[in-house]
Amino acid sequence: MVENKSSLTRDLLEGIKIVWLDLDDTIWDFHANSRVALRGLYDNYSLSCAFPTAEQWIDCYERHNHALWDLYNRAQIEKVYLMKERFLRPLTEVGHPKAEELAARFDKEYLDRLAECTELISGAISLLTKIKEHGLLTGILSNGFVEVQHRKIRNSGLAPLIDYIVLSDDIGVNKPDGRIFRYAESVAGVTADQCLMIGDNPVTDIAGALNAGWRAFLFSRNGDTAASLPAPVATTLDSLSEIF
């Protein structure tokens, strides 16, 4: 059962020293920024020959990318395979004659375009500022790739408000594996009961954090339910402004 609260109370912050946040779609608007980058590829490479509209191209890519990331988060495929296949699959699906050539080119260009996008989730800067004002540390805990995550944080103006950055690439282990949570604790010099996790993914962020002995808050801006959460109770939020 999921407990809903309109704000974090003093009791919920008791003993917390660091607030860890997922990056993509928690404070950095991956959904919006990715679509800008994908539309850029569509226009730059005249993909209308295979996809009549940019929306069809984006939908096809997102379907394959989502499936691959699900496998990656469960450690069933490697990063290199994901990066190769996420563009090859949609291009192959529509029979693009240059699928192999374009897929090899697209991944780097997509990441470069993505890193230049700066759209944040509403309330992200305010939240990080308030966390710091409460005397707490901040950290990013992300399964994203090192090639782009640091650039996203820097280019979007988040860097001055972040104390620690821990990426799955750092140790080759993805959330929800408990080892990445232990690694984050060691980096920040804290214990499990001093950590709070805020993230949008019920499995990788929330279940992972709860199983590691952290407190956790599910950010669900689309009103999604958290039915897949494990037995420990988590708090759900539909706006970052609810936290403080």
Side-chain angles (χ1 to χ4, degrees):
M1 181 177 180
V2 176
E3 179 185 4
N4 291 282
K5 292 184 181 293
S6 60
S7 64
L8 297 185
T9 65
R10 189 173 301 171
D11 288 344
L12 290 170
L13 283 173
E14 184 74 32
I16 293 298
K17 289 190 175 181
I18 182 166
V19 179
W20 294 95
L21 303 106
D22 176 56
L23 181 63
D24 293 331
D25 282 330
T26 298
I27 55 174
W28 191 85
D29 197 334
F30 178 84
H31 184 76
N33 291 324
S34 176
R35 288 188 163 216
V36 170
L38 290 168
R39 186 176 289 273
L41 292 178
Y42 181 85
D43 293 338
N44 195 45
Y45 289 92
S46 302
L47 292 180
S48 57
C49 65
F51 300 91
T53 68
E55 288 71 25
Q56 288 174 297
W57 152 244
I58 292 169
D59 288 346
C60 187
Y61 167 83
E62 289 181 340
R63 172 165 47 83
H64 288 288
N65 187 55
H66 178 79
L68 288 163
W69 268 95
D70 183 58
L71 294 173
Y72 178 70
N73 285 333
R74 289 189 275 123
Q76 294 185 8
I77 60 172
E78 298 292 330
K79 169 184 171 180
V80 172
Y81 182 81
L82 185 156
M83 296 176 76
K84 173 179 176 289
E85 290 290 317
R86 62 180 174 178
F87 285 105
L88 181 59
R89 290 186 181 191
L91 291 168
T92 300
E93 181 178 302
V94 296
H96 196 292
K98 296 183 178 180
E100 292 272 359
E101 176 188 336
L102 290 179
R105 195 180 302 174
F106 277 10
D107 197 74
K108 183 181 185 306
E109 184 168 333
Y110 169 74
L111 292 178
D112 286 340
R113 288 176 178 270
L114 199 61
E116 297 304 314
C117 295
T118 59
E119 185 74 21
L120 297 176
I121 299 294
S122 177
I125 295 292
S126 176
L127 170 61
L128 289 166
T129 301
K130 288 177 180 178
I131 292 171
K132 305 291 283 182
E133 288 173 350
H134 278 69
L136 304 176
L137 298 169
T138 58
I140 296 295
L141 184 57
S142 168
N143 279 358
F145 300 149
V146 68
E147 295 94 328
V148 68
Q149 298 300 73
H150 286 281
R151 293 161 65 194
K152 291 178 187 176
I153 292 167
R154 182 177 64 251
N155 291 339
S156 58
L158 293 170
L161 296 168
I162 303 298
D163 295 303
Y164 298 98
I165 300 173
V166 172
L167 305 177
S168 58
D169 272 0
D170 293 330
I171 57 172
V173 174
N174 298 330
K175 296 177 293 182
D177 191 306
R179 288 174 292 175
I180 194 170
F181 293 92
R182 298 283 87 87
Y183 178 79
E185 293 166 14
S186 68
V187 166
V190 296
T191 56
D193 61 339
Q194 295 171 328
C195 294
L196 169 67
M197 180 78 203
I198 301 172
D200 69 300
N201 189 305
V203 177
T204 58
D205 297 325
I206 307 307
L210 293 173
N211 289 334
W214 294 15
R215 273 169 267 184
F217 295 81
L218 176 67
F219 173 54
S220 181
R221 63 173 168 160
N222 296 320
D224 299 332
T225 62
S228 58
L229 287 174
V233 174
T235 298
T236 57
L237 313 160
D238 58 21
S239 170
L240 295 180
S241 63
E242 292 180 38
I243 298 176
F244 288 105

